[in-house]
Amino acid sequence: VDPEFRHRGLASRLVAELAEVAAREGLMRIYVELPADDTPAVELFRARGFKEVARFADYILDRKGKYHDLVVLHLDVISRD
């Protein structure tokens, strides 16, 4: 989310809508991959019920040549039918 629009609940609403659409479409699980040190994003997904299922050390190389861990989170989707 653009810094100007942060702390307004936009990302949280987008994640909630993603889960709703996934449920309507019959998906069973959603996976997301994030840099482990992107604390706001990781906390956002965890607050929405996503659980960590994997972590890969030094998996992401940024533009400055620094490596970061990758975290994989998933959410089991419950059908809303």
Side-chain angles (χ1 to χ4, degrees):
V1 175
D2 187 280
E4 181 180 343
F5 296 98
R6 289 184 185 160
H7 307 291
R8 296 183 187 184
L10 297 175
S12 185
R13 290 197 308 250
L14 285 171
V15 173
E17 181 66 18
L18 170 66
E20 289 292 326
V21 170
R24 282 197 309 268
E25 294 298 318
L27 298 179
M28 295 174 59
R29 185 170 283 161
I30 300 169
Y31 286 91
V32 295
E33 299 177 356
L34 305 164
D37 57 357
D38 186 350
T39 304
V42 172
E43 288 178 356
L44 167 73
F45 283 101
R46 285 188 173 146
R48 282 283 176 193
F50 283 73
K51 306 292 185 210
E52 184 173 330
V53 293
R55 184 177 289 253
F56 300 92
D58 297 332
Y59 192 82
I60 302 168
L61 179 62
D62 69 18
R63 293 178 185 165
K64 296 179 181 177
K66 181 180 177 188
Y67 284 92
H68 303 269
D69 292 355
L70 174 80
V71 64
V72 181
L73 307 170
H74 84 270
L75 176 71
D76 289 323
V77 177
I78 300 169
S79 178
R80 306 288 195 260
D81 292 336

